[in-house]
Amino acid sequence: MPVRSWKGMTDIKSQYRWDGMTDIGLKVPDGPYSVYLSLEYANGDLFDLGPMQIFVDTVAPKISISADPLLFSPNGDGIKDYVTITQHSDPGDDWFGTIRSASGATVRSYSWKGQAKNFTWDGTDANKKLVPNGTYSYEVVSVDAAGNSASALIRGITIDSTKPRVFVTASDSGISPNGDGIRDDVSFSLTVENREGVESWRFSLLDSKGLERSFFGGSGSDVPTRLVWDGRDLEGRVIEDSFTGKLSVKYLKGDVAEASSAKIVVKIAPPAVDITVSPEYFSPDDDGVDDVLTFGIAADKNAGITEWKLEVMEIAVVESASAQEVKPTRTFMAWSGKGTPPTQIRWNGKSSKGELVESATDYPFEFACWDALGNQTKVKGIIAVDVLVIRDGDRLKIRVPSIVFRANYADFIGLDSEIVSRNEKVVARIAQILSKFPDYQVRIEGHGNNIGKMLGYSASRIQQEEVNELIPLSTERAEVVRKMLVENGVDPRRLSVVGLGSSEPVVPFTDVQNRWKNRRVEFVLIKNQ
Ligand SMILES: [Ca+2]
Ligand SMILES: [Ca+2]
Ligand SMILES: [Ca+2]
């Protein structure tokens, strides 16, 4: 049934236009239509032309498109290297896609027959050349046979193919997080070349097996420029190992920039050291027996000792002091060095100034060493000096400043029992030594410190102290020692006693550090004629 017709007698036109309307002015439905031309001539001839097919299409092509991700980084790292354009169109139309730069220049063209397809763009132009960083747009267009057109546009497709770079440096190659204030922590400098577009960051402390033991992290571009690590894991424990600090910065465009620090050793164990001294009783009096003290130093070569020090101290004997009282102490002799200490140090008993150790006196020693991280080991001990017999011309002398009396008296009343028993031990040892010299007479000399001389009083006052106090006191003290020696089995006929007051000091009375040595008992051994 015709939807639209034109009729006439003679005035046939060379052109008829149809606007898709029916004879009564209604729109025809979309679809195929046939056109016929019928001519009837006056002589009765009939002439038919057709059918000629035409298509009515009043529906425009339709498409919806999307792009993901809008920001991408075509730099071959496998992350966000391209953008995927997704296109949904009805079938039946041809489509043309164009990617344009911000200035409108076409960088890439696509075409599809019948229906638009999905595709990916890797940021290259038609010549497979990577386009510059910047913002691009994508537009897809279709014009159907009926002249209906449609298009869709996505703006803001951004390319950033720059490889972001980060750097990490550590302030130290090792730390000893033991709270002693020496190399307890390490700081890292973090450099992020491009902070724009940072999605998140993480700074990991990796142990020697690559396990993350601690971390710092955050989102956004506020990556700190400096981080301090206290050498502890997330539970606050110190793990002795070697660590690297690894910075990982993730960008919105998909790139991950990473950098690691040099190794940082974490160690808090002090170097293991063992010290021995021999002989048990040190007797540096040149008689060939136990004249040299040997420190044996056993240190692990791998302990990493960088510095060591051995110190021998001398403690002044103070009259009437209790054993617990703090006594004045000074360094008597010291050795030190860099690197691993020697396995042995031998000592002749002389101080750095050439003074010989005192008879029957204890000298504490302390060995200290450090590793490169400041971890310290201290080993303490005591050197027991024997009763020394010093040759003095044709005589022998024993000098003992370590017998402690009650101040200003010739007895041990009120002294600590520890001091008294030490006094007794010293005298017993002297008796033992005297028994090795049976051919000698022994003169026991008492010596004291004159306070007048110490404080610079007048000669008369010094003399008064000497006569009234010191000589009687030193005599009495020598007498007490004589009695003790007899009790220890020394033949009394070998022993004589003299009190010399302050007349024969061994050090100047003004030598505050050493003048205690003047207050002493000396035993002078004189060979029988
Ligand atoms: Ca990439
Ligand atoms: Ca430390
Ligand atoms: Ca000796």
Side-chain angles (χ1 to χ4, degrees):
M1 202 191 86
V3 293
R4 183 75 194 267
S5 53
W6 294 265
K7 290 175 189 167
M9 296 299 285
T10 55
D11 56 341
I12 185 164
K13 292 180 192 165
S14 61
Q15 208 177 51
Y16 287 88
R17 298 172 76 95
W18 183 40
D19 57 3
M21 307 296 262
T22 64
D23 288 332
I24 56 167
L26 298 173
K27 246 183 164 176
V28 300
D30 282 7
Y33 291 83
S34 301
V35 181
Y36 298 89
L37 176 66
S38 295
L39 297 171
E40 192 183 338
Y41 288 87
N43 62 3
D45 286 353
L46 292 175
F47 184 77
D48 282 328
L49 202 65
M52 194 180 78
Q53 293 290 327
I54 61 165
F55 208 89
V56 174
D57 180 1
T58 59
V59 180
K62 257 208 250 166
I63 193 160
S64 67
I65 60 173
S66 62
D68 184 60
L70 272 177
L71 172 63
F72 72 111
S73 55
N75 51 11
D77 66 352
I79 306 159
K80 294 191 181 179
D81 282 344
Y82 51 82
V83 57
T84 300
I85 310 280
T86 306
Q87 312 192 98
H88 294 288
S89 70
D90 293 335
D93 299 305
D94 296 345
W95 295 92
F96 301 92
T98 310
I99 291 169
R100 291 189 185 86
S101 68
S103 64
T106 298
V107 297
R108 197 76 186 257
S109 305
Y110 305 86
S111 65
W112 299 273
K113 293 263 175 229
Q115 189 167 25
K117 305 260 170 24
N118 299 338
F119 71 102
T120 58
W121 181 44
D122 60 3
T124 58
D125 62 15
N127 301 317
K128 297 204 155 63
K129 229 183 111 208
L130 191 65
V131 301
N133 291 341
T135 304
Y136 294 80
S137 63
Y138 172 68
E139 188 175 24
V140 64
V141 176
S142 176
V143 180
D144 66 15
N148 302 304
S149 74
S151 68
L153 177 69
I154 297 172
R155 295 182 200 278
I157 298 172
T158 307
I159 287 185
D160 183 355
S161 55
T162 319
K163 265 251 172 246
R165 293 194 303 172
V166 296
F167 303 93
V168 177
T169 54
S171 65
D172 210 336
S173 59
I175 55 169
S176 54
N178 54 3
D180 67 353
I182 302 163
R183 298 175 78 171
D184 283 345
D185 52 38
V186 57
S187 69
F188 295 94
S189 292
L190 312 183
T191 306
V192 178
E193 271 192 351
N194 186 5
R195 288 172 175 272
E196 223 172 281
V198 172
E199 186 180 19
S200 62
W201 62 275
R202 190 176 182 94
F203 185 72
S204 305
L205 284 312
L206 306 177
D207 69 12
S208 59
K209 292 191 183 80
L211 287 174
E212 185 184 74
R213 297 295 200 154
S214 187
F215 75 93
F216 303 82
S219 56
S221 59
D222 61 335
V223 187
T225 55
R226 187 170 169 271
L227 280 175
V228 177
W229 182 47
D230 62 1
R232 287 159 197 277
D233 70 3
L234 292 171
E235 273 90 56
R237 294 170 303 199
V238 172
I239 296 165
E240 295 191 300
D241 199 350
S242 87
F243 289 83
T244 49
K246 184 181 172 189
L247 175 64
S248 193
V249 177
K250 207 171 154 191
Y251 287 81
L252 292 167
K253 62 174 174 144
D255 286 281
V256 177
E258 290 180 338
S260 292
S261 73
K263 278 196 168 25
I264 298 124
V265 172
V266 175
K267 181 175 176 283
I268 52 172
V273 179
D274 191 41
I275 309 287
T276 54
V277 286
S278 69
E280 193 183 352
Y281 292 98
F282 181 30
S283 129
D285 54 8
D286 282 330
D287 68 347
V289 180
D290 296 336
D291 288 342
V292 174
L293 185 83
T294 302
F295 295 93
I297 305 169
D300 182 0
K301 275 211 158 49
N302 301 320
I305 294 172
T306 52
E307 205 181 331
W308 60 271
K309 186 176 178 186
L310 173 61
E311 242 183 322
V312 175
M313 268 78 72
E314 186 176 71
I315 300 174
V317 173
V318 180
E319 280 205 331
S320 79
S322 73
Q324 282 73 37
E325 218 172 293
V326 179
K327 296 172 180 179
T329 301
R330 67 161 175 141
T331 301
F332 190 72
M333 186 62 190
W335 300 261
S336 63
K338 305 270 181 207
T340 304
T343 54
Q344 276 194 351
I345 291 177
R346 291 162 65 79
W347 185 38
N348 63 3
K350 296 257 176 71
S351 77
S352 48
K353 294 180 200 155
E355 311 145 294
L356 187 64
V357 289
E358 296 297 322
S359 269
T361 302
D362 285 345
Y363 285 77
F365 72 85
E366 186 179 282
F367 179 85
C369 63
W370 296 265
D371 67 14
L373 299 178
N375 293 306
Q376 186 193 50
T377 299
K378 267 190 185 174
V379 181
K380 292 181 181 193
I382 299 275
I383 298 161
V385 177
D386 203 350
V387 169
L388 306 181
V389 182
I390 308 293
R391 187 160 292 279
D392 180 13
D394 60 344
R395 295 170 169 192
L396 298 173
K397 249 187 189 180
I398 296 172
R399 208 172 80 196
V400 180
S402 59
I403 298 172
V404 180
F405 290 90
R406 172 159 67 121
N408 305 317
Y409 288 90
D411 58 46
F412 304 152
I413 293 166
L415 298 185
D416 263 21
S417 60
E418 200 182 305
I419 290 173
V420 175
S421 80
R422 215 199 117 80
N423 285 341
E424 286 164 353
K425 243 175 85 183
V426 170
V427 174
R429 179 67 181 142
I430 293 167
Q432 205 176 27
I433 288 185
L434 292 181
S435 71
K436 292 181 192 166
F437 301 94
D439 303 337
Y440 288 75
Q441 290 291 311
V442 182
R443 190 171 78 219
I444 306 169
E445 300 178 350
H447 296 269
N449 259 335
N450 187 310
I451 292 171
K453 286 181 183 173
M454 280 154 60
L455 300 178
Y457 290 165
S458 66
S460 64
R461 185 155 170 192
I462 288 169
Q463 187 55 25
Q464 206 176 358
E465 185 185 345
E466 200 68 18
V467 172
N468 295 343
E469 294 169 30
L470 270 188
I471 292 175
L473 181 62
S474 56
T475 308
E476 277 175 52
R477 286 181 170 182
E479 182 57 38
V480 166
V481 173
R482 191 193 70 86
K483 278 185 193 152
M484 288 171 77
L485 284 175
V486 173
E487 281 162 20
N488 278 279
V490 181
D491 183 347
R493 285 169 300 176
R494 293 177 64 197
L495 303 174
S496 61
V497 161
V498 61
L500 294 174
S502 69
S503 58
E504 292 179 18
V506 285
V507 294
F509 291 103
T510 49
D511 182 346
V512 177
Q513 230 170 20
N514 285 304
R515 64 192 178 202
W516 59 276
K517 293 174 184 174
N518 290 333
R519 193 187 297 119
R520 70 199 188 273
V521 180
E522 276 191 20
F523 304 84
V524 182
L525 282 69
I526 307 149
K527 194 148 194 182
N528 293 332
Q529 297 302 314

